[in-house]
Amino acid sequence: MNGGRGILNAALIVLALALAGVLFFMLNKDNRQTQEQAEQIETLREEARPYEKELQALAEELEDLEDAVSYASETAEFIVGFVVTDVSDLDYIQEKAAAYLFSPVLVLDCTMERTVIEEIVSAANSSWELMLYAPDYLAGVNDQILDVADYLDSVGREYTGVFFLREDYSSADSIQLLAEDGFVGYTSYHSDSPRAGQLEDGMVYFDYSYLSTSGTSVASRLSALYSNKASMLVVLDMASINSGKLTEAYVISLFDRLQSYAENDDCSFSTVTEVVEELSKINDIEAENQAGTEARAAELQERIAELEEIIQGIYDKLEE
């Protein structure tokens, strides 16, 4: 009985040793394979390194070229507009313009009665800009816009080529209609607003803040626009001022803030015409910069694509 147990124990020991040997062999094999793979990876890295270094340098040069195309404005510009509802609004506007030294823009609602529009235009200071506007852009509104434009042409009163377009109606269709009407730009504001300047369809764009209640805060936007040296049309609704929804205290605080910015060398009150000219100048400079860098950018992009293919080919050897 003891002899049989001894043989069994010996057999178990031999089996354990055999298993240990197999495990040792497999571990050594795995270690050798891991080491060989690590050595292969390092060899491939060494092979790819000069190409990766060149790729990084070219990518940085391409980024510098793209940055060189952009032209940053050196000044912030604020335009002050008023949606007028009656000829009596003009006295209030004149008072504010004299106190804060800005040239107001009268925003004419093309859906108002023609007689009201004619009274406002006849009584308005001839040096003030007129901007056309409609509270919506539903069927028939474009005809009303054209009707007001024809009237202004008939009395020799110029109006800006930029249309005041509320955000809910800032669609591709309405913008196309305005372009067909002869407008060169529009001012709007919504979550997808483009960068101020030229759009693909040729319309100049800049944004606005429309104020119809004292609860509307524009302080942060004004601060950001000033810091970024951008432009914005600040529009006050005279109907809201007359009704008290837009309080005098709020209006004064807004103008005090605007005046504080405008007193700096890098900011000023402006007009629609001046802002459009500035944006057009920036677009021309960027187009010139773009033309000057296109050839080199194409060379860089071609070489970058070649390098990416070479580097990928090197690392693909790991799978062979």
Side-chain angles (χ1 to χ4, degrees), residues 47-48 51 303 305-315:
E47 183 181 352
Y51 300 108
R303 180 55 179 164
E306 291 174 355
L307 291 169
E308 288 174 340
E309 186 175 349
I310 292 170
I311 293 167
Q312 184 62 50
I314 291 172
Y315 287 118

Side-chain angles (χ1 to χ4, degrees), residues 25-286:
F25 173 78
M26 293 177 66
L27 288 172
N28 279 345
K29 182 180 178 182
D30 287 344
N31 287 337
R32 284 198 304 273
Q33 288 177 338
T34 300
Q35 183 178 355
E36 289 172 359
Q37 189 176 41
E39 290 173 352
Q40 184 186 15
I41 291 172
E42 184 56 34
T43 299
L44 294 178
R45 281 177 176 167
E46 286 294 326
E47 183 181 352
R49 189 163 288 125
Y51 300 108
E52 291 174 335
K53 187 175 181 180
E54 181 184 355
L55 176 63
Q56 181 179 356
L58 295 183
E60 290 174 355
E61 183 181 348
L62 181 60
E63 185 176 352
D64 289 341
L65 280 179
E66 291 171 350
D67 290 341
V69 170
S70 298
Y71 177 83
S73 175
E74 298 178 353
T75 61
E77 297 177 279
F78 294 115
I79 314 161
V80 182
F82 296 85
V83 175
V84 290
T85 57
D86 188 82
V87 69
S88 62
D89 295 335
L90 301 180
D91 290 338
Y92 179 90
I93 296 169
Q94 177 63 60
E95 176 190 330
K96 288 293 182 286
Y100 292 97
L101 303 179
F102 64 88
S103 181
V105 179
L106 300 186
V107 183
L108 292 179
D109 182 352
C110 295
T111 65
M112 289 193 303
E113 292 291 335
R114 168 66 82 81
T115 55
V116 175
I117 293 175
E118 292 179 0
E119 288 177 1
I120 292 171
V121 171
S122 297
N125 188 317
S126 61
S127 66
W128 294 353
E129 285 187 319
L130 298 181
M131 173 180 275
L132 302 190
Y133 156 70
D136 60 51
Y137 216 105
L138 303 177
V141 168
N142 196 62
D143 290 337
Q144 292 175 291
I145 294 169
L146 291 175
D147 184 57
V148 173
D150 288 343
Y151 157 67
L152 293 174
D153 288 338
S154 71
V155 296
R157 186 66 161 87
E158 293 185 359
Y159 57 94
T160 72
V162 177
F163 190 85
F164 182 75
L165 187 63
R166 293 303 299 275
E167 65 269 28
D168 293 343
Y169 300 94
S170 181
S171 66
D173 289 342
S174 57
I175 293 170
Q176 183 178 354
L177 274 176
L178 291 171
E180 292 172 358
D181 292 343
F183 289 93
V184 298
Y186 70 104
T187 177
S188 185
Y189 184 77
H190 52 88
S191 59
D192 298 324
S193 291
R195 181 180 67 87
Q198 202 79 13
L199 300 179
E200 292 182 2
D201 57 7
M203 295 281 276
V204 175
Y205 163 87
F206 55 91
D207 68 15
Y208 73 84
S209 270
Y210 180 71
L211 305 179
S212 59
T213 173
S214 296
T216 305
S217 175
V218 294
S220 59
R221 286 190 67 203
L222 290 177
S223 176
L225 289 164
Y226 171 64
S227 298
N228 294 329
K229 302 298 178 283
S231 305
M232 185 173 78
L233 172 65
V234 181
V235 181
L236 295 94
D237 180 18
M238 284 304 306
S240 295
I241 291 175
N242 294 333
S243 68
K245 287 177 62 179
L246 198 56
T247 67
E248 185 64 11
Y250 180 83
V251 173
I252 290 174
S253 68
L254 173 71
F255 278 120
D256 285 345
R257 179 179 289 273
L258 288 170
Q259 185 72 37
S260 68
Y261 289 137
E263 289 172 353
N264 298 327
D265 292 337
D266 58 356
C267 183
S268 64
F269 284 121
S270 191
T271 65
V272 174
T273 300
E274 290 168 345
V275 166
V276 169
E277 288 176 351
E278 176 67 17
L279 292 174
S280 298
K281 182 184 77 172
I282 290 173
N283 291 329
D284 290 343
I285 292 173
E286 291 185 341

